[in-house]
mmCIF file of all heavy atoms in Angstrom:
data_model
loop_
_atom_site.group_PDB
_atom_site.id
_atom_site.type_symbol
_atom_site.label_atom_id
_atom_site.label_comp_id
_atom_site.label_asym_id
_atom_site.label_seq_id
_atom_site.Cartn_x
_atom_site.Cartn_y
_atom_site.Cartn_z
ATOM 1 N N GLY A 69 -4.167 -14.422 -28.418
ATOM 2 C CA GLY A 69 -2.720 -14.231 -28.353
ATOM 3 C C GLY A 69 -2.362 -12.999 -27.546
ATOM 4 O O GLY A 69 -3.112 -12.574 -26.661
ATOM 5 N N ARG A 70 -1.235 -12.426 -27.888
ATOM 6 C CA ARG A 70 -0.746 -11.254 -27.166
ATOM 7 C C ARG A 70 -0.361 -10.148 -28.132
ATOM 8 O O ARG A 70 0.177 -10.404 -29.202
ATOM 9 C CB ARG A 70 0.452 -11.618 -26.299
ATOM 10 C CG ARG A 70 0.061 -12.583 -25.190
ATOM 11 C CD ARG A 70 1.275 -12.997 -24.368
ATOM 12 N NE ARG A 70 0.890 -13.950 -23.357
ATOM 13 C CZ ARG A 70 0.498 -13.636 -22.135
ATOM 14 N NH1 ARG A 70 0.454 -12.377 -21.765
ATOM 15 N NH2 ARG A 70 0.159 -14.562 -21.279
ATOM 16 N N ALA A 71 -0.631 -8.918 -27.724
ATOM 17 C CA ALA A 71 -0.191 -7.735 -28.459
ATOM 18 C C ALA A 71 1.059 -7.215 -27.756
ATOM 19 O O ALA A 71 1.091 -7.102 -26.532
ATOM 20 C CB ALA A 71 -1.282 -6.675 -28.469
ATOM 21 N N LEU A 72 2.097 -6.935 -28.526
ATOM 22 C CA LEU A 72 3.377 -6.499 -27.979
ATOM 23 C C LEU A 72 3.498 -4.977 -28.062
ATOM 24 O O LEU A 72 3.249 -4.390 -29.120
ATOM 25 C CB LEU A 72 4.518 -7.151 -28.755
ATOM 26 C CG LEU A 72 4.442 -8.672 -28.889
ATOM 27 C CD1 LEU A 72 5.546 -9.180 -29.795
ATOM 28 C CD2 LEU A 72 4.486 -9.337 -27.535
ATOM 29 N N TYR A 73 3.890 -4.364 -26.957
ATOM 30 C CA TYR A 73 4.054 -2.906 -26.881
ATOM 31 C C TYR A 73 5.388 -2.587 -26.223
ATOM 32 O O TYR A 73 5.796 -3.248 -25.261
ATOM 33 C CB TYR A 73 2.911 -2.278 -26.072
ATOM 34 C CG TYR A 73 1.614 -2.252 -26.840
ATOM 35 C CD1 TYR A 73 0.765 -3.344 -26.854
ATOM 36 C CD2 TYR A 73 1.255 -1.134 -27.582
ATOM 37 C CE1 TYR A 73 -0.416 -3.334 -27.579
ATOM 38 C CE2 TYR A 73 0.071 -1.099 -28.305
ATOM 39 C CZ TYR A 73 -0.752 -2.204 -28.300
ATOM 40 O OH TYR A 73 -1.913 -2.183 -29.027
ATOM 41 N N ASP A 74 6.075 -1.569 -26.765
ATOM 42 C CA ASP A 74 7.404 -1.188 -26.277
ATOM 43 C C ASP A 74 7.531 0.325 -26.183
ATOM 44 O O ASP A 74 6.878 1.058 -26.935
ATOM 45 C CB ASP A 74 8.491 -1.660 -27.251
ATOM 46 C CG ASP A 74 8.515 -3.147 -27.437
ATOM 47 O OD1 ASP A 74 8.869 -3.846 -26.483
ATOM 48 O OD2 ASP A 74 8.178 -3.613 -28.543
ATOM 49 N N LEU A 75 8.452 0.760 -25.306
ATOM 50 C CA LEU A 75 8.880 2.158 -25.311
ATOM 51 C C LEU A 75 9.732 2.349 -26.558
ATOM 52 O O LEU A 75 10.499 1.453 -26.926
ATOM 53 C CB LEU A 75 9.745 2.464 -24.086
ATOM 54 C CG LEU A 75 9.050 2.617 -22.750
ATOM 55 C CD1 LEU A 75 10.073 2.616 -21.624
ATOM 56 C CD2 LEU A 75 8.235 3.896 -22.714
ATOM 57 N N ARG A 76 9.621 3.463 -27.229
ATOM 58 C CA ARG A 76 10.492 3.744 -28.371
ATOM 59 C C ARG A 76 11.841 4.228 -27.873
ATOM 60 O O ARG A 76 11.955 4.772 -26.769
ATOM 61 C CB ARG A 76 9.862 4.806 -29.262
ATOM 62 C CG ARG A 76 8.728 4.255 -30.069
ATOM 63 C CD ARG A 76 8.493 5.077 -31.299
ATOM 64 N NE ARG A 76 7.489 4.421 -32.135
ATOM 65 C CZ ARG A 76 6.604 5.048 -32.854
ATOM 66 N NH1 ARG A 76 6.584 6.365 -32.863
ATOM 67 N NH2 ARG A 76 5.741 4.384 -33.590
ATOM 68 N N ALA A 77 12.852 4.016 -28.698
ATOM 69 C CA ALA A 77 14.205 4.465 -28.345
ATOM 70 C C ALA A 77 14.167 5.956 -28.017
ATOM 71 O O ALA A 77 13.558 6.748 -28.736
ATOM 72 C CB ALA A 77 15.154 4.200 -29.503
ATOM 73 N N GLY A 78 14.780 6.306 -26.922
ATOM 74 C CA GLY A 78 14.839 7.702 -26.508
ATOM 75 C C GLY A 78 13.672 8.146 -25.643
ATOM 76 O O GLY A 78 13.735 9.196 -25.035
ATOM 77 N N GLU A 79 12.596 7.363 -25.602
ATOM 78 C CA GLU A 79 11.468 7.714 -24.736
ATOM 79 C C GLU A 79 11.706 7.129 -23.353
ATOM 80 O O GLU A 79 12.257 6.041 -23.213
ATOM 81 C CB GLU A 79 10.154 7.189 -25.306
ATOM 82 C CG GLU A 79 9.684 7.951 -26.517
ATOM 83 C CD GLU A 79 8.275 7.559 -26.953
ATOM 84 O OE1 GLU A 79 7.592 6.816 -26.221
ATOM 85 O OE2 GLU A 79 7.876 7.984 -28.032
ATOM 86 N N THR A 80 11.292 7.839 -22.355
ATOM 87 C CA THR A 80 11.452 7.368 -20.984
ATOM 88 C C THR A 80 10.110 7.358 -20.281
ATOM 89 O O THR A 80 9.143 7.947 -20.738
ATOM 90 C CB THR A 80 12.421 8.279 -20.202
ATOM 91 O OG1 THR A 80 11.903 9.609 -20.217
ATOM 92 C CG2 THR A 80 13.812 8.252 -20.803
ATOM 93 N N ARG A 81 10.101 6.703 -19.171
ATOM 94 C CA ARG A 81 8.896 6.642 -18.349
ATOM 95 C C ARG A 81 8.969 7.726 -17.295
ATOM 96 O O ARG A 81 9.958 7.830 -16.573
ATOM 97 C CB ARG A 81 8.812 5.269 -17.689
ATOM 98 C CG ARG A 81 7.669 5.181 -16.735
ATOM 99 C CD ARG A 81 7.690 3.881 -15.986
ATOM 100 N NE ARG A 81 6.830 4.027 -14.826
ATOM 101 C CZ ARG A 81 6.616 3.085 -13.965
ATOM 102 N NH1 ARG A 81 7.196 1.920 -14.111
ATOM 103 N NH2 ARG A 81 5.822 3.281 -12.942
#
Side-chain angles (χ1 to χ4, degrees):
R70 295 177 182 270
L72 308 174
Y73 286 85
D74 299 292
L75 284 168
R76 285 203 173 145
E79 287 189 9
T80 59
R81 175 186 163 180

